[in-house]
Amino acid sequence: MAETPSVPTFDHAMYLINVVKFRCGQLYHLFDENEFMANLHDFYSEPKPNAATGLWYVHFLLILAFGKGFVKHKVQGNRPPGADYFVKALEMLPDVIVLHEAPIESTEVMCCIALYLQALDCRSSAHNYTYGLKSRMHRLTSLLQIGQAMRMAMAEGMHTQMPIEYLGENMVQRCRKIWWTVYILDREMTSLMGLPQTLNDDQINTLLPSFPGSPQRTAAIGMHIRLSRIIAEINGSVYAIDGRINRNFLVRTKSALANIASLADELRRAFPLQMDRDISGVSRISAYLHLLYHQCIVLATRPLLFCFLKIRFESPANCIEVLNTSRTVRNLIQMSMDSAQQIICILHSLQNEGLLETFLSFDLESIFVSTVVLLMGPAIDIRWTYPIWLEKAYAIFEEIIESGNLLAKFRRSELHLLDELLSCFPQEHPRCLSAPVSFPNNVLNSSSQVSLANSFPPSGQANSADAAAQTQLEHDILSDRGSGVGVPALDDQELGFTNRLTAEQIMAVADSIESIDTEWMSNAMIEHSIW
């Protein structure tokens, strides 16, 4: 059994608790403040606080583990900050029978355990920390914890409209906060594992929690829930059960993009990214929701990159010719590229504000997803080369690594390996696309009223002026690959998010997906054995 770590002083404990509230309290409910703080004061009121054996003390150790993870940027060997508190909390965790005697706090405790384990990436067998958790550290641990929390919450009826007249306002509001935290974690962790969802949304009829004096928090939870549902939908429809790509995934992509588009304008209006630093800083909660939104776009469109990367492997000379066959497909890939760049923009702004999340996996997942896309782009076609954005991406990785995140170091090494593998492609310049596909300075800007479905001329139908412009564009690409095609240098104006996808623009791309595109993509997958 691990030794009980020293308990911090009351002032230090308050500091760590407040850090936890700031870092993840707006996204997840990990403890009830009134009850938790009352127990905290009782604990420190003793002349010499002793290690209790009750559930609250386990809960307290878990919160301290989070606090240490957020504020301590040095690791001891392979032990992440707060590991001592976390290991001790697991050792002292009561058995299931005892947990069911206090289901409300037990569910909060299991959410804490699942979220901490997710921060250590225990869902990945390729990277395993060896700091004393032994057999508990396997890829399903965090998912099993949140699954147990889900069952316990449902057993208490938290997914239903619990009667306020019998339970009281405070209890019902607490249960609503717990339920939606469990729900979001379950949706996101299950999707990360590539597993099917186990709970149908039709079985849930509880309301969102209310926060007196802060209606924005309720709105944030509602948006978080909707984005989590879209992620689950994408993983369950665009991708097949066995982890491969569905043959008719373009049809599912169209549906997913329509759902994403339904949130675009509301997200921008309710959670604006205040990028004018002379007025205000970046909102962490707004940034998180926008990051999740762009991850949805990348997840929905990324299969196309994998398909064409496979084609590039097999038929390097024919890849661009195949790509030019469907302007709809080009639009979708460019949308993926654009969202990857927007993710880096948001993270770069958070980095400037000192708000990068270096312990939990939120920002690490975002930067990893976007960097993979930007590395794949130029391997398919040189027009999708964005070295400035990659430079910014690796700078963000460096900061997360320097903050003591061991997993970020491993993820960066994976990206370097991917970059090396993709660099093995022949270096000759492939044919460029038949028409400009630069979203930031062309069709996807705030003043554009042109439907994306009509923004590209069919292959082989460009007039002489277009051909001359294309020749000049190809010359510009070859002479200066440093800034990317149609993408300005990464300056303060670009970080102001002047080029964001509106609902109308996303729907234009989605509506351009016709049955002929699906059939064409299906045939290409069969021809190149993409399954």
Side-chain angles (χ1 to χ4, degrees):
M1 178 177 290
E3 295 183 1
T4 301
S6 60
V7 177
T9 64
F10 176 77
D11 290 343
H12 190 189
M14 285 295 298
Y15 167 67
L16 295 176
I17 292 169
N18 285 327
V19 169
V20 174
K21 288 168 57 180
F22 173 75
R23 288 292 189 176
C24 56
Q26 297 181 77
L27 294 172
Y28 302 110
H29 171 86
L30 298 183
F31 61 91
D32 179 74
E33 187 167 356
N34 292 332
E35 181 178 301
F36 188 88
M37 298 308 293
N39 286 323
L40 181 76
H41 285 283
D42 290 342
F43 178 73
Y44 279 100
S45 65
E46 298 292 332
K48 185 178 180 181
N50 296 317
T53 57
L55 185 60
W56 176 83
Y57 186 71
V58 172
H59 204 168
F60 176 53
L61 291 178
L62 292 170
I63 299 301
L64 291 180
F66 277 110
K68 288 287 187 179
F70 290 132
V71 303
K72 192 174 180 181
H73 293 165
K74 290 184 179 180
V75 296
Q76 300 174 346
N78 286 332
R79 301 174 69 84
D84 292 341
Y85 292 114
F86 183 71
V87 172
K88 189 62 182 179
L90 288 189
E91 289 182 348
M92 298 182 65
L93 188 67
D95 60 31
V96 176
I97 295 177
V98 176
L99 290 177
H100 277 277
E101 294 176 356
I104 305 299
E105 187 171 15
S106 295
T107 308
E108 293 171 339
V109 166
M110 284 183 283
C111 285
C112 290
I113 295 173
L115 191 59
Y116 191 94
L117 288 172
Q118 187 190 31
L120 307 184
D121 199 42
C122 294
R123 58 187 172 81
S124 173
S125 60
H127 185 67
N128 187 21
Y129 291 101
T130 55
Y131 58 86
L133 295 182
K134 298 180 181 178
S135 61
R136 294 175 184 160
M137 299 294 290
H138 58 82
R139 66 184 327 184
L140 292 175
T141 306
S142 57
L143 188 58
L144 291 173
Q145 288 291 336
I146 204 61
Q148 187 175 355
M150 172 73 76
R151 290 191 296 273
M152 188 172 292
M154 292 184 68
E156 292 300 308
M158 295 186 196
H159 62 300
T160 67
Q161 293 196 37
M162 304 176 77
I164 296 178
E165 60 272 23
Y166 296 114
L167 300 175
E169 179 73 21
N170 292 337
M171 176 61 72
V172 171
Q173 291 296 333
R174 182 179 180 181
C175 288
R176 288 174 181 172
K177 295 173 187 175
I178 293 172
W179 170 258
W180 289 116
T181 292
V182 171
Y183 176 92
I184 291 170
L185 288 174
D186 177 73
R187 282 290 184 270
E188 293 180 354
M189 291 182 181
T190 301
S191 296
L192 284 171
M193 290 290 295
L195 300 175
Q197 301 295 330
T198 57
L199 179 64
N200 193 316
D201 288 336
D202 294 337
Q203 300 170 326
I204 304 169
N205 64 355
T206 187
L207 303 177
L208 294 176
S210 61
F211 299 89
S214 183
Q216 188 76 351
R217 291 190 64 184
T218 301
I221 292 175
M223 183 60 68
H224 197 180
I225 292 168
R226 293 162 72 183
L227 289 168
S228 297
R229 284 174 174 168
I230 290 176
I231 289 177
E233 177 203 346
I234 292 170
N235 280 279
S237 60
V238 176
Y239 301 89
I241 295 176
D242 58 0
R244 300 190 179 194
I245 301 173
N246 265 318
R247 179 175 173 179
N248 296 320
F249 74 90
L250 270 184
V251 176
R252 315 292 176 82
T253 299
K254 180 175 183 176
S255 174
L257 288 177
N259 288 334
I260 294 171
S262 68
L263 301 182
D265 293 341
E266 180 183 347
L267 176 64
R268 185 176 299 111
R269 182 179 62 255
F271 302 95
L273 286 168
Q274 304 291 347
M275 305 308 299
D276 189 344
R277 300 191 186 101
D278 293 334
I279 298 176
S280 63
V282 184
S283 164
R284 179 66 249 199
I285 184 62
S286 294
Y288 175 76
L289 294 174
H290 280 267
L291 287 171
L292 202 59
Y293 164 80
H294 283 291
Q295 283 191 63
C296 289
I297 294 177
V298 171
L299 288 174
T301 55
R302 187 174 58 185
L304 283 170
L305 276 86
F306 287 110
C307 287
F308 280 96
L309 191 63
K310 180 73 158 48
I311 294 173
R312 180 84 163 92
F313 275 124
E314 294 187 349
S315 306
N318 298 327
C319 181
I320 302 303
E321 182 178 352
V322 175
L323 189 58
N324 276 335
T325 306
S326 172
R327 66 185 181 188
T328 297
V329 168
R330 298 198 306 268
N331 285 346
L332 290 168
I333 295 179
Q334 182 62 50
M335 178 180 283
S336 187
M337 294 290 171
D338 184 75
S339 280
Q341 294 170 55
Q342 292 295 335
I343 288 173
I344 296 174
C345 278
I346 298 172
L347 292 174
H348 179 76
S349 297
L350 291 173
Q351 184 182 26
N352 288 338
E353 294 283 341
L355 290 176
L356 267 183
E357 179 49 63
T358 59
F359 178 67
L360 296 180
S361 59
F362 308 148
D363 293 349
L364 181 58
E365 287 290 343
S366 295
I367 194 63
F368 184 78
V369 165
S370 60
T371 308
V372 167
V373 168
L374 294 181
L375 286 174
M376 293 172 63
I380 299 171
D381 188 275
I382 195 173
R383 291 179 56 88
W384 287 312
T385 300
Y386 305 108
I388 292 178
W389 299 97
L390 286 172
E391 180 182 345
K392 286 295 179 184
Y394 283 119
I396 292 168
F397 265 105
E398 286 301 322
E399 178 157 331
I400 298 177
I401 292 170
E402 290 174 2
S403 297
N405 192 310
L406 301 177
L407 176 60
K409 189 174 183 179
F410 170 74
R411 290 291 184 88
R412 186 188 60 181
S413 68
E414 286 188 315
L415 292 172
H416 286 165
L417 179 58
L418 175 62
D419 195 12
E420 291 176 4
L421 292 173
L422 295 178
S423 68
C424 295
F425 278 134
Q427 295 300 311
E428 66 269 12
H429 173 59
R431 287 172 49 201
C432 290
L433 300 179
S434 60
V437 292
S438 171
F439 279 16
N441 288 341
N442 187 10
V443 294
L444 289 187
N445 55 64
S446 57
S447 62
S448 175
Q449 302 297 322
V450 181
S451 169
L452 282 175
N454 300 317
S455 61
F456 295 95
S459 297
Q461 296 183 13
N463 58 32
S464 58
D466 292 333
Q470 180 65 16
T471 301
Q472 179 62 41
L473 183 58
E474 292 179 10
H475 176 269
D476 293 340
I477 296 168
L478 290 173
S479 61
D480 183 13
R481 296 179 59 183
S483 60
V485 179
V487 181
L490 196 62
D491 55 20
D492 288 341
Q493 181 179 1
E494 178 62 26
L495 290 176
F497 298 93
T498 57
N499 304 305
R500 289 171 291 175
L501 304 178
T502 65
E504 182 180 1
Q505 291 162 346
I506 297 174
M507 280 305 303
V509 176
D511 289 340
S512 70
I513 301 175
E514 303 291 347
S515 58
I516 189 172
D517 298 300
T518 301
E519 183 179 355
W520 170 79
M521 194 68 238
S522 177
N523 291 335
M525 292 174 68
I526 294 174
E527 181 180 352
H528 295 276
S529 303
I530 304 171
W531 294 106

